[in-house]
Each structure stands twice: as structure tokens, then as C-alpha cells.
Amino acid sequence: TNIRRGRIFRTTGVCAILLLFIYAIHSYSRSNGNVDSYEKLIVNEPPSKYKFHKDIYPTLQTELGNFEPRFKNIVKGPGEEGLPYHMPQDRANDIAESESEYGMNIAASNDIAMNRSIPDTRLDECKYWHYPEELPSTSVIIVFHNEGFSVLMRTVHTVIDRSPPNILKEVVMVDDFSDKDDLKENLDNYVKRWKGKVRIIRNNERQGLIRTRSRGALEATGEVIVFLDAHCEVNINWLPPLLAPIYRDYKIMTVPVIDGIDHKTFEYRPVYSHGINYRGIFEWGMLYKENEVPDREASLHKHKSEPYKSPTHAGGLFAINRNYFLEIGAYDPGLLVWGGENFELSFKIWQCGGSIEWVPCSRVGHVYRAFMPYSFGNLAKNRKGSLITINYKRVIETWFDEEHKEFFYTREPMARFLDMGDISEQVALRDKLNCKSFGWYMENVAYDVYDKFPKLPKNIHWGMVKNKAIGLCLDTMGKAAPSYIGVQSCHGAGNNQLFRLNEAGQLGVGERCLEADTDSLKQTICRLGTVDGPWRYDKEHNHLIHRLHSYCLTLQPNSRTLGLAPCDPNNTYQQWSITQKNPK
Ligand code: LR7
Ligand code: MN
């Protein structure tokens, strides 16, 4: 759950570097009542087998866009207009039950219409873009494992209702070995209403979402594939803006802006304040982050409603040319269940000649759950250490250079010892596709990562921090920052007890920093853009010394609370060892 909590994290701040890059913008003829258009010069010529329309751009006009719906029904009911649905008190049991089973309030979802209205969260300008009429045929792929039926089907309903029927070729639902009864014949029967337009494919063993998506891509028949999580609601006119960039250049992968749907009330909320654009980045432990689009990118665009380039994406929702996705190897099949595949695909696309664009005029709601309601099943067996960290390791070992790999291992010291399996096929693919270096990617695409997450100084010590007097170890007590650090019996498993002290004096745990006072030791959110800190380890006396009065970290014998006190070489409550057993 720590990982999930840490996923979305927005940072503001503006990058002062001005543009001068590879994209030339040329002005466009304004006949046909066009007010404006977005366009880039395309440099690469496509292989002939791809349809490619490099001269066809969307145009911003004074009339309502060609794919915009003209009517809107007003209906009253629970959750309509995306308003929060508060269930009556006497349903408290249903709510508690569905939240523990699904991580979301399925009982509430069951009362809400499949085709409820949701607010149009786009910039007003989005209604006036006109898109090419001949957009590529599209398969929407929804992979699922034990999802709540009504939430799953609302995803499908909104796709069918809000996509142009001649463009939406099919919805491919891939069941990743669910065992809930209502997802069996009941589901087969339900989709009959769409007369074959919605297909169900089932895995005969659990594969995890990553491999299941690759399977969906193989089975799909559309020219473009769009992946959605199984708890989404697509918003008004979401599809054409995603397809237009791919129609122009098949190596562009596009990503909608993901609004939030509350897992308790199903309230639909815009993710960003109006008119502010964000893009996907990461910190060195490979937690996904979002950052306000830096000037260097924003200044390439005349309109805030235009697609813009992004280093990466959250993972679940995106559109890509199917052949292109398969040609770059789909996902690394060695990535198991959950996590890291968003980076694998992003690094691969960017480094091997493609690009990623976020599309502000395409909005899709996603239910953010309170916790992950499923286990990793047999796929996690025989795997020591965290499976997600193993995924990250495969990705960084394939795509990073030596310098940046070190940052990952500095932030995740145990990862060095994890068995990531064989990556030779991934490396061979990278070579075959003639991909550029990670340094190139950092300089030209992900340059704003360094503003928030600078290069990491090396660790001088890392591991469990054990008190000499009582033999207990510092522990985050499983709480999220900001929170007090406590002591617990030493377990050697890392996680909440894995601390690291770097050359620049930062004492950290996970992505958090330790701050101290005379009567407290806390984990806090590290000040963005900094990697230093007030700590030093005195090996001779086993003291952890803080810059504040040069006091020592001290455990209070009775209360077992922590804080700073004047150093005393005879006080064993001030003596700490920082070591780690070989995690193998
Ligand atoms: O074993 C599994 N098999 C599956 O088919 C586990 C899950 N799944 C399905 C599941 O039913 C769902 O439809 O896979 C889909 C994604 O799983 P989630 O919803 O549990 O993932 P998430 O929303 O917690 O996590 C995000 O990161 C994942 C990393 O692997 C995936 O990329 C998810 O798609 C991704 N979700 C988003 O990007 C939505 C935006 C929110 C964020 C962050
Ligand atoms: Mn999800």
C-alpha cells in the first residue's frame, strides 16, 4: 500500500529553459473557417505497411467539433452528473462488505446507472477541435481480474455510448482467471446485447495484468488498440482526440487525462485544476509521479488543449497502433502481475524512435481504490523479495545506463540482490531496434525529472538501524509520512526497517527523509529537489549525529520514543549499528 499511496504526487514549479528543439512549428493555411491547428514536422518516413497521414491535423474552428455530441439528456438519480452518492445508513453492512472484497463500494455502484451522466471536465476549447473523419479502426482492450460486475460493465457501456460507432471496431474483454461467479455465464449473457461487438477472452491460468494486456493486443483486430482499466468511465468525445495523433504518426502513443472516481461515493472529479497540464515522470525508486508541464514543452504549443509530450504515463490507459506495439515486443513477458510495465513501454518507445503524447481533450475517469483487493497468486511463488521491485530491476537493467542504474540501487539498496531472471531477449530487442541511450532520453525527453529528483549521492551506510541497549530497530511502523519513527524487533526484511544515509547527510527510508528534534524523530516528505540532510554517522562511538547542536539520536528507555540529546559515549541508548543481512 505504500507504493500505491506514493504513486500520484504532483509537483509544481517551472522549468526556466526555453525551447530550441527538434520540432519546428510552421504556420498553417486558415482557409475552410479554421481558426487554428496543431502540427509538427514529422521527420521519420514510415514503413510502407503502415497507413500514415503526416499532413492531416486536427483544426480548431468556430463551430462545434465534428465528433461532438449535440444533445444531452438530463436524468435524475444516484451518482448522476458525477455527483457523490451517499448511501443510506442502513446499508452500512453492504458497504463494508463490498469495500473489503473489492477495495471499492460496489454496493453504491450497483445503484448507479450504467450510463449515468458525468461532468465534461475538458477545457471549453476542446469542443471546437475538428478531427480527421477517417480515423483508424479501434479495439478497446479491458483486462480484468475479479472486478465488481457493475463497475466493469459501466466501463464497457461508456465506451460503447461515447465512441463513434464506425471507429470503434470492438471491445475485447480479457478475463485474467477471475473466480467470481457473476463474471462467468452471467457476463457472457450480458454482452450479447452488443451482438458480437464486445468479445470475451479468458486466460486458463492467472497471468497478471501485464501479460494479459499483451494477449489482448494479439487477439485484437483493430488498427489501433486502446487499453483501459476495468473500472473506468470514458468522458464525452474521448476517442477521436486520442486517435488523431496516431493517425498522423503511427509511432505516437497517446494518453488521456485521467480523472478521479471516488471509491466510496463514485463522485467524478477532475484531476487537475482547470487549464493546468501535467505529465508523467518518476523518482529514482521508480515511483510514478506527475509534474506540471515544463516551459520547454509548454512553449511548443499555442493552445492548452493540444497534445503535449510526456516522458512516461501511469500505465493503465493509453492508445497505440497495434502493429507498432507488437513490433516493439509488446510488454516484456518477464514482467509479472503489476508494476513497471508503464516505464518499460515508455523507455522503449522514446529510446527506440517513438514518442508519447498526453491529450488534454481526452478525459477518462478511473476508480482509485483504497488497497489492492487481489493477491499475486502463484505468480509470486518462488520469487524472493518484492515482485514489483523485481519488475523495476528488469526495466532499469534493460533501459538505463550505468550512471542512472546506480541511482535506482542507491534508493532501493536491496534490489541489487534480487533475482530478476533472464533479460537477454530484452537487451537483444533494444539492440535490434537500434535504440538510443538513456542519457539521450534524460536530456531530450525527461529533463524535468532532475529538477524534482536530482542525481543521488551514494549511500555510505544502509540497512537496519539497531539500538545497542535494547536490540530493537528503527521502524516506520507502517505509517505514511509525516509520522513518528518508532522501534520494533529487527526483522531484516527491509521495507519499514531499511534506512540509508548518503554522502550528503540525508537519512532516508524509502522515498522519505528523517527529521529530528529534541523530542521526536519523524519521516517526512523530502524537500523536492534536494538530496542532502543534517545527519552523520560516527563509526567510533556508533552515534547518529544531527547538525542541530551536534546532538545524538537517542532512545528514551521508558517511553521508547526517539529524539536528539547531547552525545554521551557511555549511553548505550545512543549507540546504533547500521547493517543488513544478505537478503538472499
Ligand atoms: O493480476 C491481475 N490481472 C488483471 O487483469 C491484476 C489486475 N488485473 C487488471 C485489473 O482488473 C485492472 O483492470 O488489470 C487492471 C489494472 O489493475 P489495477 O486497477 O489493480 O491497477 P492500478 O490502477 O492500481 O495501477 C496502475 O498501475 C498498474 C501497474 O502495473 C497498471 O498499469 C494499471 O493499469 C494502472 N492504472 C492506471 O494507470 C490508472 C490510473 C491510476 C494510476 C496510478
Ligand atoms: Mn486501476
Side-chain angles (χ1 to χ4, degrees):
T1 55
N2 272 338
I3 289 161
R4 293 171 54 78
R5 239 181 261 121
R7 277 184 82 79
I8 294 273
F9 177 87
R10 274 163 220 116
T11 57
T12 48
V14 193
C15 170
I17 309 162
L18 285 177
L19 78 129
L20 34 85
F21 251 76
I22 38 179
Y23 307 107
I25 295 195
H26 59 100
S27 58
Y28 198 66
S29 109
R30 303 227 168 113
S31 51
N32 323 332
N34 298 348
V35 174
D36 220 330
S37 66
Y38 53 76
E39 68 241 55
K40 313 279 172 324
L41 280 182
I42 306 295
V43 186
N44 296 333
E45 283 305 320
S48 55
K49 64 180 167 172
Y50 293 103
K51 288 195 211 127
F52 198 71
H53 307 269
K54 61 178 183 175
D55 296 326
I56 302 182
Y57 296 95
T59 55
L60 185 61
Q61 304 189 16
T62 47
E63 294 133 45
L64 206 58
N66 51 342
F67 286 101
E68 282 297 313
R70 259 60 178 179
F71 306 105
K72 201 174 157 193
N73 297 333
I74 309 248
V75 184
K76 293 254 169 262
E80 290 294 336
E81 298 174 71
L83 292 172
Y85 172 45
H86 299 285
M87 292 175 76
Q89 283 299 317
D90 63 356
R91 303 276 306 277
N93 281 346
D94 295 352
I95 299 172
E97 225 170 79
S98 50
E99 283 183 357
S100 73
E101 185 173 350
Y102 296 99
M104 62 176 88
N105 187 355
I106 292 295
S109 167
N110 292 346
D111 288 356
I112 297 173
M114 289 290 175
N115 62 350
R116 67 150 171 182
S117 57
I118 49 175
D120 183 352
T121 51
R122 302 169 300 171
L123 281 175
D124 205 50
E125 201 169 77
C126 291
K127 296 175 193 155
Y128 299 92
W129 283 104
H130 288 237
Y131 298 97
E133 293 287 341
E134 274 127 47
L135 290 169
S137 74
T138 299
S139 299
V140 170
I141 301 170
I142 299 167
V143 307
F144 63 99
H145 176 75
N146 284 344
E147 293 281 347
F149 184 84
S150 61
V151 169
L152 174 63
M153 293 327 293
R154 190 172 294 109
T155 310
V156 179
H157 273 277
T158 61
V159 168
I160 300 275
D161 288 357
R162 300 190 183 130
S163 311
N166 55 326
I167 294 173
L168 180 68
K169 187 164 182 204
E170 58 181 354
V171 176
V172 180
M173 302 178 70
V174 197
D175 175 9
D176 187 16
F177 206 55
S178 301
D179 49 30
K180 296 204 189 293
D181 282 341
D182 61 354
L183 297 175
K184 294 177 179 163
E185 301 84 63
N186 182 44
L187 178 61
D188 294 330
N189 291 332
Y190 192 95
V191 304
K192 282 183 185 150
R193 71 190 63 204
W194 289 301
K195 304 191 169 64
K197 192 148 182 168
V198 179
R199 286 200 282 143
I200 301 170
I201 292 164
R202 300 189 194 261
N203 289 342
N204 42 33
E205 59 184 335
R206 179 84 179 276
Q207 294 291 351
L209 76 92
I210 304 170
R211 288 183 184 167
T212 305
R213 275 199 208 136
S214 293
R215 173 158 189 224
L218 280 171
E219 307 258 1
T221 59
E223 191 179 331
V224 168
I225 50 183
V226 179
F227 292 102
L228 295 179
D229 274 11
H231 32 255
C232 289
E233 286 171 69
V234 301
N235 211 318
I236 294 162
N237 202 16
W238 72 296
L239 190 56
L242 282 185
L243 299 179
I246 302 173
Y247 181 68
R248 202 174 78 228
D249 174 354
Y250 71 95
K251 287 186 174 181
I252 297 176
M253 164 184 147
T254 55
V255 183
V257 170
I258 306 167
D259 288 329
I261 301 174
D262 188 90
H263 70 275
K264 285 179 188 287
T265 65
F266 284 77
E267 180 184 8
Y268 188 105
R269 284 184 293 249
V271 58
Y272 308 133
S273 348
H274 215 57
I276 302 184
N277 286 330
Y278 284 77
R279 62 183 206 162
I281 59 169
F282 47 84
E283 55 87 58
W284 298 114
M286 302 321 288
L287 294 181
Y288 174 74
K289 305 286 177 181
E290 291 183 2
N291 185 31
E292 200 174 324
V293 174
D295 282 356
R296 179 165 152 188
E297 174 63 27
S299 56
L300 295 167
H301 307 285
K302 188 162 172 197
H303 302 281
K304 288 200 159 152
S305 58
E306 288 178 31
Y308 52 85
K309 294 190 164 39
S310 174
T312 184
H313 68 294
L317 289 56
F318 64 92
I320 192 167
N321 177 294
R322 176 176 173 273
N323 283 337
Y324 179 56
F325 182 68
L326 296 176
E327 201 176 87
I328 59 176
Y331 289 120
D332 167 8
L335 297 176
L336 295 182
V337 194
W338 191 103
E341 90 293 346
N342 55 329
F343 297 125
E344 194 236 351
L345 186 61
S346 304
F347 300 151
K348 184 151 72 180
I349 287 176
W350 274 114
Q351 287 174 241
C352 311
S355 64
I356 300 175
E357 293 189 359
W358 281 29
V359 183
C361 289
S362 178
R363 295 284 192 140
V364 180
H366 169 264
V367 181
Y368 288 89
R369 285 181 287 214
F371 62 95
M372 203 180 250
Y374 48 80
S375 79
F376 283 11
N378 288 336
L379 291 160
K381 273 195 194 145
N382 310 321
R383 286 270 169 169
K384 297 193 192 100
S386 151
L387 203 127
I388 298 169
T389 311
I390 292 172
N391 284 354
Y392 293 157
K393 180 169 179 175
R394 285 184 73 86
V395 174
I396 70 116
E397 284 292 338
T398 306
W399 297 101
F400 277 27
D401 55 22
E402 294 310 314
E403 182 194 8
H404 294 88
K405 280 181 200 173
E406 273 317 302
F407 302 156
F408 174 69
Y409 292 121
T410 295
R411 171 64 178 72
E412 278 292 330
M414 300 267 259
R416 223 187 274 275
F417 306 99
L418 296 173
D419 177 9
M420 64 173 171
D422 183 4
I423 58 162
S424 55
E425 280 187 25
Q426 303 310 308
V427 174
L429 181 76
R430 189 194 65 199
D431 295 343
K432 187 188 105 188
L433 296 173
N434 243 316
C435 307
K436 298 190 187 81
S437 70
F438 195 72
W440 173 89
Y441 169 79
M442 288 304 298
E443 241 175 71
N444 296 286
V445 183
Y447 44 83
D448 48 330
V449 167
Y450 291 132
D451 298 343
K452 312 295 167 192
F453 308 105
K455 301 183 173 193
L456 289 184
K458 286 201 166 45
N459 294 330
I460 0 182
H461 300 283
W462 64 272
M464 299 183 285
V465 183
K466 184 173 179 178
N467 184 267
K468 176 108 183 258
I470 55 170
L472 298 180
C473 281
L474 294 187
D475 197 298
T476 62
M477 318 300 278
K479 293 198 191 106
S483 61
Y484 292 106
I485 298 291
V487 287
Q488 288 282 305
S489 34
C490 306
H491 56 52
N495 303 320
N496 297 347
Q497 291 189 359
L498 197 152
F499 293 77
R500 57 197 150 69
L501 175 64
N502 75 15
E503 289 170 343
Q506 187 182 74
L507 181 61
V509 54
E511 65 166 333
R512 301 305 176 208
C513 286
L514 294 204
E515 276 179 19
D517 216 319
T518 47
D519 55 5
S520 74
L521 179 68
K522 280 185 188 168
Q523 60 165 338
T524 61
I525 295 170
C526 302
R527 201 148 47 83
L528 268 187
T530 63
V531 289
D532 60 342
W535 298 96
R536 160 168 81 81
Y537 186 66
D538 171 359
K539 260 195 193 148
E540 193 189 331
H541 301 98
N542 299 114
H543 284 165
L544 261 167
I545 303 172
H546 191 282
R547 207 157 47 203
L548 181 71
H549 313 305
S550 291
Y551 277 7
C552 280
L553 179 66
T554 309
L555 181 70
Q556 296 305 323
N558 299 325
S559 63
R560 291 194 171 170
T561 56
L562 295 148
L564 299 174
C567 301
D568 166 4
N570 299 317
N571 181 354
T572 53
Y573 289 92
Q574 291 185 341
Q575 293 175 11
W576 305 92
S577 62
I578 313 180
T579 56
Q580 186 64 43
K581 281 180 264 167
N582 186 336
K584 271 191 231 168

